């Protein structure tokens, strides 16, 4: 067990093999091994019990040509903080640079981010003095922790003697800072105490939140806490694992029978294996059961995930099949968004399900809101209004390049008859380019897109030509710079209904 819930290890120790070499080729006596041993002891004493805080280090790294081992990348992904032992050997190691990059990128995608409060999750340890100008960008604005005997700026020094008073002083500073950060992470990811939302209740909407790979545990925990703030929602989240296959399936089916919606979060890792079934994993098994027996489902993946990069062939095939398969839109949704948008998407889906029984036959079933990341937070009023009008909104945040992520954009366009491009902080050229790309795709692929609108959000857009349109499909420009205009949205919806009639 790690000190920080949701991670397999607390500290990932990244180093170059040359910094652990000894004249007699005794790796246990090397500088890195001595540092590891003393740091682990110091953190154990701080935590108050043996083995409380776990440190991961690849102790097999004895030569420079060691081949890539996926277990190392997996360990990076499942670590709470990252400690690079920066030296000349580290600076010249492409493999060390990869480890640093892996952690930097994965931490940014997690709900906590790269910092717990004001505590950065990367702790550079300098075996020599280096000018900040040559530090890797991943070190951010941290000052780092010197573990060298340099006394002058022009002297790079040598690694501190592990038996010296200088080393002990430097270790104390690192230990205290690490422990503060680990404590903050522990509090942020601590599992909440059981509450009434896991108990049967009447007149509530029940959500089964399935098991996830370890890297998504913080996201799952945050979503649970946010959903439980809604008194009308009940979260069913206590279904095992761990459990053997048969009792696990029984428990999942029981939860799905009670649930109105099941939510399944996936990453590029398949998650934990079922206890008595090698190569079969809890997250995918729960999703398959839900798709077969559940009432409604959401399957979510990070927007940056590419199935061709998933190493587990079973998981890759499953996600491809689910994303491209034909399913009833009212009961199933495949999402590619940021982790921060998961709860909002779930709430929008719940409102759509609850209003579904009263949906007029002629209402457009779904609308794609195409927005730049800069404007994403402004779209919630529009999304809620569409739900109130019995229209399922899909959110598709994009980057500066209007032609980026076309694969994701294409998949979303296939599901809707109405496109709304959000025009807030971005340039008008970006909006018109997105419209052109969407219409071109829809015509070429014979998608059901029938109507387009541009939601013109604050700030004011002087000189905007709202009459300018696109060939083949009319574009309604809706000016909301003076405040939300529901009537303009209604006119667009009426236009979409008339084209589908």
């Amino acid at each position: 067990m790690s000190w920080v819930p949701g991670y397999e290890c607390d500290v990932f120790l990244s180093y170059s093999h040359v910094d652990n070499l000894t004249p007699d080729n005794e790796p246990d006596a090397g500088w890195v091994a001595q540092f590891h041993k003393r740091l682990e002891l110091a953190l154990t004493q701080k935590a108050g019990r043996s083995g409380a805080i776990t440190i991961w280090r690849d102790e097999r790294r004895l030569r420079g040509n060691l081949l890539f081992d996926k277990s190392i990348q997996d360990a990076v992904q499942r670590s709470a903080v990252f400690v690079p032992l920066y030296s000349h050997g580290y600076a010249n190691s492409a493999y060390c640079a990869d480890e640093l990059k892996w952690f930097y990128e994965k931490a940014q995608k997690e709900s906590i981010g790269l910092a717990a409060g004001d505590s950065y999750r990367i702790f550079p340890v300098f075996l020599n003095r280096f000018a900040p100008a040559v530090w890797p960008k991943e070190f951010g604005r941290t000052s780092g922790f010197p573990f060298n005997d340099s006394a002058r700026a022009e002297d790079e020094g040598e690694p501190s003697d592990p038996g010296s008073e200088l080393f002990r002083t430097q270790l104390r500073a690192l230990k205290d800072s690490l422990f503060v950060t680990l404590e903050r992470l522990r509090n942020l990811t601590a599992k909440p105490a059981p509450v009434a939302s896991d108990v049967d209740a009447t007149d509530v909407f029940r959500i089964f939140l399935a098991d996830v790979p370890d890297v998504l545990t913080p996201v799952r925990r945050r979503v649970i806490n946010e959903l439980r703030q809604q008194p009308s929602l009940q979260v069913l989240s206590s279904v095992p694992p761990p459990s053997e296959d048969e009792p696990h399936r029984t428990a999942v089916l029981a939860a799905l029978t009670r649930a109105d919606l099941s939510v399944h979060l996936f990453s590029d890792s398949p998650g934990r294996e079922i206890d008595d079934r090698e190569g079969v994993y809890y997250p995918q098994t729960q999703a398959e059961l839900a798709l077969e027996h559940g009432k409604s489902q959401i399957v979510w993946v990070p927007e940056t995930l590419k199935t061709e990069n998933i190493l587990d062939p079973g998981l890759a095939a499953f996600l491809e099949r689910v994303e491209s398969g034909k399913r009833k839109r009212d009961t199933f949704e495949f999402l590619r968004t940021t982790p921060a948008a998961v709860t909002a998407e779930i709430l929008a889906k719940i409102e759509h399900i609850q209003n579904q029984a009263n949906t007029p036959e002629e209402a457009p079933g779904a609308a794609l809101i195409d927005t730049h990341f800069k404007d994403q937070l402004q779209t919630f009023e529009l999304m809620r209004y569409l739900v109130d009008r019995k229209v399922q909104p899909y959110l598709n945040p994009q980057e500066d390049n209007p032609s980026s992520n076309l694969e994701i954009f294409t998949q979303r366009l296939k599901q809707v008859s109405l496109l709304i491009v959000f025009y807030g902080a971005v340039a008008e050229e970006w909006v018109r380019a997105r419209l052109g790309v969407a219409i071109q795709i829809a015509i070429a692929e014979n998608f059901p897109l029938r109507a387009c609108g541009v939601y013109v959000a604050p700030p004011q857009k002087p000189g905007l030509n709202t009459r300018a349109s696109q060939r083949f499909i009319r574009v309604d420009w809706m000016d909301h710079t003076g405040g939300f205009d529901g009537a303009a949205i209604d006119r667009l919806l009426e236009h979409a209904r008339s084209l589908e009639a």
Side-chain angles (χ1 to χ4, degrees):
M1 293 291 292
S2 62
W3 186 257
V4 181
Y7 296 91
E8 290 190 4
C9 63
D10 299 300
V11 180
F12 184 96
L13 204 57
S14 177
Y15 70 101
S16 170
H17 77 287
V18 299
D19 294 317
N20 201 45
L21 295 178
T22 65
D24 299 321
N25 195 24
E26 297 175 344
D28 290 341
W31 193 94
V32 174
Q34 293 299 309
F35 173 88
H36 181 174
K37 187 183 301 182
R38 285 167 168 76
L39 177 61
E40 188 164 20
L41 176 60
L43 289 172
T44 293
Q45 292 171 337
K46 186 73 173 178
R49 59 184 174 88
S50 180
I53 295 177
T54 58
I55 300 177
W56 197 96
R57 173 171 68 94
D58 177 24
E59 298 183 14
R60 302 164 300 161
R61 192 176 304 184
L62 305 180
R63 59 187 188 278
N65 64 343
L66 181 68
L67 297 177
F68 171 80
D69 187 341
K70 187 177 182 298
S71 66
I72 298 175
Q73 186 173 9
D74 289 343
V76 172
Q77 297 293 328
R78 296 166 183 170
S79 298
V81 300
F82 187 89
V83 178
L85 304 185
Y86 199 72
S87 64
H88 291 292
Y90 197 104
N92 288 290
S93 170
Y95 196 82
C96 291
D98 283 341
E99 292 176 352
L100 179 59
K101 179 183 176 183
W102 293 335
F103 184 90
Y104 181 83
E105 292 179 346
K106 80 98 178 180
Q108 290 184 93
K109 297 173 185 176
E110 294 176 345
S111 59
I112 299 170
L114 266 171
D118 59 354
S119 297
Y120 200 60
R121 292 169 61 188
I122 297 176
F123 291 74
V125 167
F126 293 102
L127 278 62
N128 307 102
R129 182 194 287 266
F130 292 87
V134 303
W135 294 2
K137 69 172 185 177
E138 291 87 353
F139 288 1
R141 297 182 179 180
T142 61
S143 57
F145 296 86
F147 271 77
N148 57 74
D149 58 9
S150 171
R152 298 172 299 168
E154 62 272 20
D155 179 17
E156 69 178 22
E158 296 292 336
S160 305
D161 182 351
S164 68
E165 184 60 30
L166 174 62
F167 183 95
R168 286 191 286 272
T169 300
Q170 294 169 339
L171 182 66
R172 188 180 305 118
L174 175 62
K175 173 258 300 181
D176 290 341
S177 184
L178 269 173
F179 191 80
V180 167
T181 300
L182 291 172
E183 273 291 88
R184 288 177 178 173
L185 290 170
R186 189 183 194 194
N187 292 333
L188 288 170
T189 59
K191 187 175 181 179
V195 296
S197 59
D198 268 345
V199 181
D200 280 332
T202 57
D203 300 325
V204 296
F205 190 98
R206 296 183 178 88
I207 307 155
F208 170 56
L209 203 53
D211 190 58
V212 298
D214 288 345
V215 70
L216 292 178
T217 297
V219 178
R220 181 179 186 268
R221 185 173 292 114
R222 173 180 56 78
V223 171
I224 290 173
N225 290 336
E226 290 172 348
L227 291 175
R228 283 176 170 166
Q229 295 175 17
Q230 306 289 325
S232 61
L233 303 181
Q234 180 186 95
V235 183
L236 310 175
S237 61
S238 57
V239 175
S243 175
E244 295 179 349
D245 184 46
E246 196 57 39
H248 168 249
R249 286 175 175 269
T250 301
V252 172
L253 289 172
L256 291 172
T257 300
R258 298 166 58 202
D260 301 289
L261 171 69
S262 67
V263 178
H264 307 268
L265 313 179
F266 287 94
S267 70
D268 58 359
S269 168
R272 290 176 284 179
E273 279 187 327
I274 292 178
D275 284 357
D276 57 349
R277 294 198 64 190
E278 184 177 354
V280 181
Y281 302 90
Y282 291 111
Q284 183 175 332
T285 298
Q286 292 186 3
E288 289 170 343
L289 289 171
L291 292 170
E292 184 177 356
H293 301 284
K295 300 180 183 73
S296 296
Q297 307 85 33
I298 289 176
V299 173
W300 175 92
V301 298
E303 60 191 348
T304 56
L305 180 68
K306 293 184 179 295
T307 52
E308 60 264 29
N309 295 335
I310 298 176
L311 297 181
D312 183 82
L315 176 61
F318 170 74
L319 291 178
E320 286 182 349
R321 184 170 66 251
V322 171
E323 183 172 15
S324 62
K326 299 287 186 180
R327 295 184 181 274
K328 190 176 180 181
R329 201 161 51 209
D330 287 338
T331 59
F332 173 78
E333 189 166 352
F334 189 95
L335 295 176
R336 284 182 176 271
T337 69
T338 62
V342 173
T343 302
E345 294 277 12
I346 294 173
L347 293 175
K349 184 67 174 179
I350 290 170
E351 288 198 43
H352 177 73
I353 292 172
Q354 291 175 329
N355 294 327
Q356 185 179 337
N358 300 318
T359 301
E361 288 296 324
E362 70 276 15
L368 176 60
I369 303 174
D370 192 36
T371 177
H372 192 279
F373 284 112
K374 297 175 183 176
D375 297 320
Q376 184 176 354
L377 293 178
Q378 294 193 58
T379 62
F380 290 111
E381 186 174 19
L382 172 60
M383 291 176 67
R384 186 168 294 278
Y385 191 85
L386 290 173
V387 169
D388 289 342
R389 293 297 185 270
K390 315 299 188 295
V391 178
Q392 170 67 55
Y394 292 85
L395 189 62
N396 190 59
Q398 286 293 316
E399 302 172 353
D400 291 328
N401 182 357
S403 299
S404 66
N405 296 335
L406 286 183
E407 181 181 352
I408 299 172
F409 193 34
T410 301
Q411 290 296 325
R412 281 294 175 87
L413 279 174
K414 184 166 59 175
Q415 299 174 292
V416 302
S417 58
L418 173 63
L419 170 69
I420 302 176
V421 180
F422 206 87
Y423 181 14
V426 295
E428 182 179 341
E429 292 75 13
W430 185 92
V431 175
R432 295 192 183 279
R434 291 301 289 176
L435 287 169
V437 168
I439 293 172
Q440 182 179 1
I441 292 173
I443 293 174
E445 301 289 341
N446 195 28
F447 286 169
L449 184 65
R450 297 290 179 268
C452 294
V454 176
Y455 185 108
V456 185
Q460 296 285 337
K461 311 292 191 299
L464 175 65
N465 181 12
T466 59
R467 294 185 178 181
S469 187
Q470 298 275 341
R471 295 177 62 190
F472 307 113
I473 298 180
R474 191 182 90 184
V475 177
D476 292 340
W477 292 73
M478 304 168 290
D479 189 356
H480 298 262
T481 55
F484 182 80
D485 184 2
I489 303 297
D490 289 339
R491 286 193 294 271
L492 177 62
L493 296 179
E494 181 62 35
H495 174 58
R497 283 195 293 267
S498 68
L499 293 174
E500 290 190 342

